[in-house]
Amino acid sequence: GGSKRGLMYCLVLADLLDYDENIRPLFDPPPDVTKVVRVAQYAAIFIAVWIQEDIIESFDVFTHTDDHQKYSGWLRGSCVMKFLLGLVGLFVSVVIVVRSDNIVDLFANFAAMALLSSID
């Protein structure tokens, strides 16, 4: 489940990190966006954090795992991996949102990332 999603995140991130001299840096927002797009960017970042279930679920399971359970080490290890996968997904979503320069692309890309994060 997570390996497919992780591979997709890596492919999207590799595309975002494909630096060229004419491409702006990763977190450099476009300079000439309207106020509506800027508000939509802030809203999309808030929503991205809110819908990122991997981070919250993994933290919850990690903190409620009993050390005396038979497989607690494996469970905590999987929680760490799920947490990291959630962070990568959130990072990719934020980069896509910050680099968007119009509202249609912003929500199309955001919807695609939400779909990616829901794949099991």
Side-chain angles (χ1 to χ4, degrees):
S3 60
K4 291 179 276 189
R5 199 169 9 150
L7 176 64
M8 288 185 232
Y9 285 156
C10 289
L11 291 173
V12 171
L13 194 56
D15 184 53
L16 290 172
L17 293 174
D18 187 19
Y19 285 113
D20 192 7
E21 291 181 15
N22 299 327
I23 297 176
R24 64 184 184 272
L26 204 57
F27 282 112
D28 188 23
D32 300 331
V33 296
T34 63
K35 290 181 182 179
V36 173
V37 173
R38 193 66 71 203
V39 169
Q41 286 174 325
Y42 287 121
I45 290 173
F46 175 76
I47 293 168
V49 172
W50 185 26
I51 66 171
Q52 187 53 259
E53 296 174 355
D54 288 343
I55 295 172
I56 296 167
E57 287 177 5
S58 63
F59 184 76
D60 185 46
V61 172
F62 188 88
T63 56
H64 291 97
T65 300
D66 186 12
D67 286 334
H68 302 294
Q69 290 179 342
K70 187 174 182 180
Y71 298 106
S72 63
W74 288 103
L75 184 60
R76 287 191 179 194
S78 70
C79 288
V80 169
M81 295 306 292
K82 187 172 184 176
F83 182 81
L84 292 174
L85 187 62
L87 283 179
V88 170
L90 186 59
F91 175 75
V92 170
S93 294
V94 168
V95 169
I96 287 173
V97 167
V98 167
R99 293 183 65 162
S100 297
D101 58 355
N102 67 60
I103 204 157
V104 173
D105 288 343
L106 170 73
F107 284 117
N109 291 332
F110 185 71
M113 285 306 298
L115 177 69
L116 267 178
S117 69
S118 69
I119 292 175
D120 280 337

